[in-house]
Amino acid sequence: MPSKISRAYQKRLADGRLTPDPSQVPVVEALSRLEIELARKGPLGGLFGGLLGGPPEVRGVYLWGPPGRGKSILMDLFYACVPEPRKKRAHFHAFMARVHGLMRQWREGDAAAREAVFGQSKGDDPIAPVAALIASEARLLCFDELQVTDIADALILGRLFEALFEQKVVLAVTSNRAPDQLYLNGINRELFLPFVDLIEARCEVVSVAGARDWRLDRLMGDRVWFAPPDEAARAGFEALWADLKGEQEECPAHLKVLGRDVVIERTDGGLARATFAQLCGSALGPQDYLAIAERFQTLFVEDIPVLGAAKQQEARRFVTLIDALYEAGTRLVALAGAPPEALYRKGVGAFEFERTVSRLNEMAGAEWLARERA
């Protein structure tokens, strides 16, 4: 009998909600296999399995490939279909933020506080109790956008997931990178390599290498600069965000920049959304904008005002933001008070702003949207 995800995928193809893509077939097959294995009941196979008891060992799935190939859509479908009752879905950055918070609670808590959260209190190393707590909450962990850029994450991942796998936790993961390309050229990468080995041993690695970028198709099928911000423009902006985001819940992203925590409140994997005031009305600088541009594939910026002479600082920051996005190849979707040419006509730097106008117009064109990221 076909798996639930296979039936749901075929129904969406028949309904026209998805378009046939040969590169997605092995993904659906891998997720179908995982769904079936998770649903199996009974002891481990063989004599020793029968004596030891416990669920059969299940190999997870690691999906990787360029953005826009349908990885998150298929993960949405799998998560909705898989009958495993103890399952959790999260962006990897949100998961790691929680792990660091739990580790801090263990280190700083007294015996009573540890018992209240973890059900145990002995020992100095937080990895085992944190893994036990996570495993008690979920047998299946589904992660979107696994990427490792923080040395603090890199140094604990191997030990953390070794402990999780010992607790029979199963992973379903999406990433833009193959496992052996994670944390490439990172500081002390040799300490991270056991995590790569674990992923390759405990997950079926599937490349999603289709030639078609579905998110790019959606962007190129619509405008990406919405102005003026009337009801129709706002509706188009919101519809494009909803289409690209899919069914996954938004979550905040924390970017470490020069020892500071830069928070983008509304994100979904490689998508981010913020207001002009949040990005350019506060004291952010070039390094902050570079971190945002490198972290996200597409940035939605809403409520970009027409800027007068009194807003020269905001205009300067906006120029710096656009420069960072342009150099990184990050796509921009904007809801603005006017076309780029009319945003900043008078004030200090208005002449130099013309270069930004040129870049904004280029960034709204099909040729620029289709180019590879830097």
Side-chain angles (χ1 to χ4, degrees):
M1 178 181 292
S3 66
K4 288 184 177 180
I5 182 177
S6 179
R7 293 198 300 272
Y9 180 71
Q10 293 301 324
K11 185 175 188 304
R12 279 161 174 75
L13 290 176
D15 293 345
R17 284 184 285 171
L18 291 175
T19 303
D21 184 340
S23 73
Q24 294 180 356
V25 173
V27 177
V28 175
E29 291 175 348
L31 292 173
S32 296
R33 187 269 306 162
L34 178 54
E35 177 196 324
I36 292 167
E37 290 186 4
L38 284 166
R40 286 178 183 156
K41 304 296 182 182
L44 292 163
L47 173 62
F48 293 104
L51 294 173
L52 293 173
E57 187 166 318
V58 176
R59 195 174 186 212
V61 172
Y62 182 106
L63 309 176
W64 74 275
R69 268 59 180 186
K71 300 185 299 296
S72 293
I73 291 173
L74 295 176
M75 183 68 81
D76 282 338
L77 202 57
F78 168 73
Y79 189 79
C81 291
V82 68
E84 171 58 49
R86 293 193 306 117
K87 59 184 179 181
K88 284 191 178 295
R89 173 110 185 259
H91 291 294
F92 188 68
H93 289 281
F95 171 78
M96 290 306 299
R98 184 183 181 223
V99 167
H100 286 293
L102 289 171
M103 292 174 65
R104 186 165 54 252
Q105 283 183 271
W106 179 266
R107 292 187 178 114
E108 297 175 357
D110 58 18
R114 289 179 174 182
E115 286 284 349
V117 175
F118 300 95
Q120 55 182 300
S121 61
K122 294 182 179 180
D124 296 324
D125 186 354
I127 292 293
V130 167
L133 176 62
I134 294 169
S136 72
E137 298 169 346
R139 180 189 178 203
L140 173 66
L141 290 177
C142 296
F143 293 134
D144 265 329
E145 302 288 340
L146 191 154
Q147 58 177 312
V148 184
T149 57
D150 190 304
I151 187 173
D153 290 349
L155 293 178
I156 68 170
L157 278 170
R159 296 180 59 233
L160 174 66
F161 278 88
E162 183 176 17
L164 287 172
F165 289 139
E166 287 177 356
Q167 299 273 349
K168 306 299 183 186
V169 170
V170 179
L171 295 185
V173 175
T174 72
S175 178
N176 293 338
R177 294 178 178 269
D180 63 359
Q181 297 298 300
L182 292 169
Y183 197 54
L184 201 62
N185 303 318
I187 299 171
N188 294 326
R189 188 171 187 266
E190 67 278 3
L191 300 177
F192 175 75
L193 294 179
F195 174 68
V196 174
D197 294 338
L198 277 171
I199 289 293
E200 291 179 338
R202 301 300 294 261
C203 294
E204 178 184 357
V205 179
V206 182
S207 172
V208 192
R212 190 167 185 179
D213 184 336
W214 300 99
R215 283 179 171 169
L216 175 59
D217 286 354
R218 184 64 181 89
L219 283 171
M220 293 177 67
D222 205 337
R223 55 178 172 165
V224 294
W225 189 275
F226 295 87
D230 55 21
E231 185 175 342
R234 288 191 178 276
F237 183 86
E238 294 291 347
L240 187 54
W241 171 258
D243 281 355
L244 296 185
K245 187 178 73 67
E247 299 175 12
Q248 172 73 344
E249 292 185 5
E250 299 171 16
C251 72
H254 295 258
L255 309 180
K256 298 297 182 183
V257 183
L258 302 176
R260 294 177 293 105
D261 189 28
V262 177
V263 182
I264 306 297
E265 293 292 345
R266 302 184 64 180
T267 75
D268 174 41
L271 299 173
R273 176 171 174 170
T275 66
F276 178 88
Q278 290 169 334
L279 293 172
C280 302
S282 57
L284 297 180
Q287 295 300 321
D288 303 305
Y289 297 136
L290 287 171
I292 292 168
E294 291 170 1
R295 168 66 177 80
F296 299 105
Q297 303 282 341
T298 304
L299 176 65
F300 281 65
V301 182
E302 56 190 309
D303 299 329
I304 302 173
V306 175
L307 300 163
K311 296 289 186 179
Q312 66 182 51
Q313 291 296 334
E314 289 86 342
R316 179 182 57 79
R317 293 190 190 108
F318 186 65
V319 168
T320 306
L321 170 64
I322 298 306
D323 284 347
L325 300 179
Y326 184 89
E327 294 301 331
T330 302
R331 298 161 185 162
L332 173 69
V333 180
L335 178 64
E341 294 81 1
L343 282 182
Y344 187 57
R345 287 176 168 168
K346 294 182 180 180
V348 175
F351 179 78
E352 290 78 7
F353 194 84
E354 292 180 8
R355 182 174 70 100
T356 298
V357 171
S358 176
R359 286 194 161 184
L360 289 171
N361 285 323
E362 183 183 354
M363 292 167 73
E367 183 177 345
W368 193 91
L369 288 169
R371 79 176 190 173
E372 294 290 331
R373 272 173 64 93

